[in-house]
Amino acid sequence: MEKRELLYEGKAKQVYATVDPDLVIQYFKDDATAFNAQKRGTIVNKGRYNNAISASLFRYLEEHGVPTHFVRTLSEREMLVRRLEIIPVEVVVRNVIAGSLAKRLGLSEGRELPRPILEHYYKNDALGDPLINPWHITVLGFASEGELEEINRRALQVNDSLRTFLQPRGLILVDFKLEFGRFQGRLLLADEISPDTCRFWDAASGEKLDKDRFRFDLGNVESAYAEVHRRICGVA
Ligand code: UDP
């Protein structure tokens, strides 16, 4: 499938048109940003790892009843996906206290939650993706009541499925961010699922194997992405 014009360029990906108006190509870059793009850098081969990891996880989720935008892998850095109308809400699912939850509520990182917490953020870079609640989403018209109900149900289903998949691979799913979009009257899971958008901790050592290594200059950033890729995609 041939790449046509660049439709959108984000922090970690580019989106290209194709001949088919219903399909676009996601190209995964090595660029990394953190703290609302105040910190910028490159993680060598991140684009290759995130493309492969996302493809494996989207395939697994589809097989387990979660509709996604994923169509097929095109190359080391490209996947073909359905062209959606993105809902401007980022859904965060948390299983273990970390990141902004720990900071905002003054909690120490690492405590396992008795059940998952769902959070919603307004997808708006200029505003730094502010935390919002279901009232903002429905009253301001970001999504309908029905869509929000489906988004929340799907997010929890994704959490259950991913935890089941990751557990035998020795990875703890601490938290992650999802995006959804509308396609021909259906709600599809969009974007990517990777160490950029998830916190993965090694089950045995508790070592962080995700973008926190970049955010906090913990070192061994590339090798953490490579390790997650090895465990999820099953290659050395
Ligand atoms: N996350 C993301 N994109 C964002 C914000 C968060 O992918 O714009 C992911 C992040 O990698 C983590 C989860 O969502 O896995 C929860 O992030 P948190 O709210 O703790 O914010 P952070 O401290 O990562 O900024």
Side-chain angles (χ1 to χ4, degrees):
M1 181 78 60
E2 194 190 313
K3 276 212 293 262
R4 294 252 170 127
E5 76 272 17
L6 179 67
L7 296 173
Y8 163 84
E9 176 143 20
K11 288 169 276 189
K13 292 191 293 298
Q14 296 170 329
V15 177
Y16 291 90
T18 69
V19 283
D20 186 333
D22 289 334
L23 298 174
V24 292
I25 293 170
Q26 283 199 145
Y27 176 93
F28 288 76
K29 304 191 285 183
D30 286 350
D31 300 351
T33 63
F35 310 117
N36 200 23
Q38 287 173 53
K39 180 181 169 86
R40 290 170 186 276
T42 298
I43 302 173
V44 176
N45 286 327
K46 175 171 83 77
R48 290 174 49 214
Y49 293 133
N50 284 0
N51 186 37
I53 293 166
S54 290
S56 293
L57 296 178
F58 280 138
R59 253 186 240 112
Y60 178 84
L61 290 170
E62 285 275 358
E63 284 163 13
H64 290 79
V66 179
T68 80
H69 70 159
F70 179 74
V71 177
R72 67 176 184 272
T73 298
L74 294 176
S75 71
E76 280 201 325
R77 288 175 180 271
E78 293 168 322
M79 63 168 63
L80 187 66
V81 300
R82 293 180 182 88
R83 185 175 190 164
L84 311 180
E85 184 193 339
I86 289 287
I87 293 172
V89 175
E90 299 190 348
V91 187
V92 168
V93 184
R94 300 180 181 278
N95 299 304
V96 177
I97 295 174
S100 71
L101 175 65
K103 204 166 173 190
R104 187 170 352 104
L105 300 185
L107 305 169
S108 51
E109 193 170 275
R111 177 151 56 94
E112 196 181 337
L113 297 163
R115 56 200 171 86
I117 289 177
L118 276 189
E119 294 175 349
H120 304 94
Y121 293 85
Y122 178 40
K123 187 174 156 64
N124 184 313
D125 282 341
L127 299 175
D129 297 343
L131 183 69
I132 52 176
N133 70 29
W135 296 77
H136 299 106
I137 294 169
T138 54
V139 177
L140 298 174
F142 301 151
S144 69
E145 298 262 1
E147 285 173 330
L148 180 58
E149 189 273 327
E150 191 175 347
I151 286 170
N152 291 345
R153 187 168 54 79
R154 290 290 185 203
L156 293 172
Q157 181 187 5
V158 168
N159 187 42
D160 286 344
S161 281
L162 290 183
R163 289 175 83 180
T164 302
F165 177 82
L166 295 168
Q167 199 259 334
R169 291 166 174 80
L171 292 172
I172 295 171
L173 183 61
V174 170
D175 57 32
F176 59 97
K177 183 264 298 179
L178 298 178
E179 296 182 26
F180 293 87
R182 305 176 182 104
F183 181 79
Q184 298 175 356
R186 297 170 68 214
L187 185 88
L188 302 184
L189 180 61
D191 196 46
E192 67 179 279
I193 310 176
S194 72
D196 274 10
T197 63
C198 305
R199 286 194 170 91
F200 297 120
W201 291 356
D202 178 67
S205 65
E207 190 189 356
K208 295 179 197 297
L209 296 174
D210 55 56
K211 202 165 101 176
D212 273 353
R213 302 205 74 82
F214 168 79
R215 290 189 184 100
F216 302 110
D217 297 314
L218 302 177
N220 300 326
V221 185
E222 289 94 354
S223 58
Y225 280 72
E227 180 60 17
V228 171
H229 175 255
R230 190 185 66 77
R231 293 198 202 179
I232 288 178
C233 305
V235 283

